[in-house]
């Protein structure tokens, strides 16, 4: 009996170690998948605070919570089942779909650059001129988030496409929940920082008051910096997706050219070769993303936007 119990405990210990290893593997895979979606995550974080601009301070966090719930619902109930079925039964479509998403990222990034260079101001579904009701604000934010969430999930899926079906599902659930909590947690902190700064600025004590005023003044700069980083990240991620996708689909010159540049930079810079090589690849991907995005912006301006302008004038 004692020997049987020892053997049973050994079996349980082996199963526990296997389960722990599986959890570690899933966590690592989820981390790698999330990193690949960094450009979209940064843009999502930069865009969302604009939806609560101009609202009463006490309604900011409740609205962000509603947007976060809508985002998680999109990821888990719509996007996740769709891409899992696609990866299981039509996996050959993943690369083209991912490239379409990459092209969209390039377009978004290039459009932001165009608006900045041309002096136009980009318009999101914000509350600039009038304050719509909360349902309208949440619905608009969730619609925009759906596109960004789809990109995050497809990019993440591409990183774990070789895993078994249920492993993919678990990893993507972890990514969906983790990224949603991260993005909207950061958004919540960002939108409340000016309130925190205002309260601190009214506290007695020069140190706290000065820190509070610095927070109030610094938040617009932080949002601007997030927008710039998000734009650069979208161009980089979108360009890199297209670079890898063209190679996987059989068109090798672009990938080989960038790969040769990366190797040459790596070999020429000694101990810093890894970092320099990565920077070369990143810059080349961003340039490709900007070129692809600019072409799409040009086509959109000559077709869709022109038709809309013509219809509005009539």
């Amino acid at each position: 009996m004692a020997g049987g119990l020892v053997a049973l405990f050994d079996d349980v210990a082996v199963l526990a170690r296997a389960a722990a290893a599986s959890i570690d593997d899933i966590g690592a895979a989820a981390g790698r998948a999330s990193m690949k979606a960094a450009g979209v995550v940064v843009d999502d974080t930069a865009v969302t605070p604009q939806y609560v601009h101009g609202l009463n301070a006490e309604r900011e966090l409740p609205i962000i919570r509603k947007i976060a719930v809508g985002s998680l619902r999109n990821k888990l109930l719509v996007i996740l089942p769709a891409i899992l079925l696609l990866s299981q039964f039509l996996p050959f479509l993943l690369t083209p779909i991912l490239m379409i998403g990459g092209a969209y990222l390039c377009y978004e990034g290039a459009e932001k650059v165009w608006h900045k260079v041309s002096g136009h101001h980009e318009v999101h579904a914000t509350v600039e001129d009038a304050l719509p009701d909360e349902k309208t604000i949440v619905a608009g934010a969730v619609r925009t988030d759906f596109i960004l969430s789809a990109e995050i999930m497809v990019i993440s899926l591409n990183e774990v496409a070789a895993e078994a079906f249920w492993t993919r599902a678990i990893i993507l659930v972890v990514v969906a929940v983790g990224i949603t909590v991260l993005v909207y947690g950061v958004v919540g902190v960002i939108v409340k920082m000016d309130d925190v700064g205002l309260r601190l600025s009214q506290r007695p004590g020069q140190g706290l008051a000065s820190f509070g005023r610095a927070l109030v003044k610094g938040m617009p700069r932080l949002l601007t910096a997030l927008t710039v980083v998000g734009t650069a990240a979208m161009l980089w991620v979108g360009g890199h997706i297209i670079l890898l996708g063209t190679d996987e689909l059989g068109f090798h010159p672009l990938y080989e050219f960038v790969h040769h540049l990366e190797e040459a930079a790596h070999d020429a810079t000694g101990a810093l070769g890894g970092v320099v090589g990565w920077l070369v690849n990143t810059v080349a991907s961003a340039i490709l993303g900007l070129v692809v995005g600019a072409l799409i912006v040009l086509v959109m301006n000559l077709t869709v936007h022109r038709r809309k302008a013509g219809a509005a004038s009539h």
Side-chain angles (χ1 to χ4, degrees):
M1 174 69 87
L5 285 175
V6 171
L8 177 60
F9 288 147
D10 285 343
D11 290 342
V12 170
V14 169
L15 289 173
R17 285 195 295 269
S22 298
I23 292 171
D24 287 343
D25 291 342
I26 288 172
R32 291 194 302 272
S34 301
M35 286 302 295
K36 287 290 185 176
V40 196
V41 171
V42 172
D43 186 61
D44 206 358
T45 307
V47 167
T48 306
Q50 300 176 50
Y51 288 99
V52 295
H53 174 71
L55 297 179
N56 293 331
E58 64 271 14
R59 296 307 304 157
E60 290 176 342
L61 290 182
I63 288 178
I64 289 172
R65 189 181 304 115
K66 290 179 181 179
I67 297 171
V69 170
S71 173
L72 192 59
R73 189 186 300 119
N74 281 341
K75 292 184 180 78
L76 295 181
L77 301 184
V78 180
I79 300 170
L80 178 59
I83 64 173
L84 279 175
L85 291 173
L86 188 65
S87 68
Q88 187 69 18
F89 299 108
L90 297 169
F92 60 89
L93 290 179
L94 282 177
T95 295
I97 290 175
L98 194 61
M99 290 179 69
I100 292 172
Y104 175 79
L105 286 179
C106 295
Y107 165 70
E108 283 280 286
E111 190 175 41
K112 291 175 188 290
V113 173
W114 166 248
H115 282 301
K116 188 69 176 177
V117 171
S118 63
H120 292 85
H121 296 289
E122 187 174 359
V123 178
H124 290 284
T126 58
V127 283
E128 296 289 335
D129 301 317
L131 297 179
D133 61 274
E134 292 186 8
K135 288 184 178 180
T136 303
I137 294 171
V138 172
V142 171
R143 278 196 301 271
T144 300
D145 179 90
F146 184 88
I147 298 171
L148 298 171
S149 293
E151 280 304 300
I152 289 169
M153 297 301 285
V154 173
I155 292 170
S156 301
L157 173 64
N158 191 60
E159 289 302 302
V160 296
E163 302 289 343
F165 180 84
W166 289 113
T167 303
R168 289 199 305 270
I170 294 171
I171 290 171
L172 291 177
V173 168
V174 172
V175 169
V177 174
I179 284 183
T180 302
V181 171
L182 173 64
V183 167
Y184 289 97
V186 172
V187 168
V189 171
I190 289 173
V191 300
K192 300 309 291 184
M193 285 304 290
D194 53 351
D195 293 337
V196 173
L198 184 60
R199 291 180 182 178
L200 288 177
S201 68
Q202 297 169 349
R203 290 286 185 88
Q206 185 62 31
L208 281 178
S210 298
F211 180 66
R213 288 192 293 271
L215 281 179
V216 173
K217 292 180 180 178
M219 289 314 298
R221 297 175 184 174
L222 174 61
L223 290 175
T224 300
L226 274 176
T227 302
V228 172
V229 172
T231 300
M234 284 199 301
L235 292 172
W236 158 48
V237 174
H240 195 66
I241 289 171
I242 292 174
L243 186 67
L244 294 179
T246 54
D247 186 62
E248 290 179 14
L249 293 179
F251 183 76
H252 307 297
L254 279 176
Y255 178 84
E256 290 178 352
F257 175 73
V258 173
H259 184 63
H260 289 324
L261 284 180
E262 182 180 357
E263 285 190 331
H266 181 281
D267 295 339
T269 50
L272 297 175
V275 174
V276 175
W278 179 84
L279 285 174
V280 168
N281 188 294
T282 299
V283 171
S285 297
I287 292 172
L288 175 62
L290 183 59
V291 170
V292 171
L295 290 175
I296 299 174
V297 168
L298 178 62
V299 171
M300 292 293 289
N301 284 336
L302 292 177
T303 55
V304 177
H305 295 165
R306 178 172 290 183
R307 284 200 296 270
K308 287 182 178 179
S313 64
H314 290 86

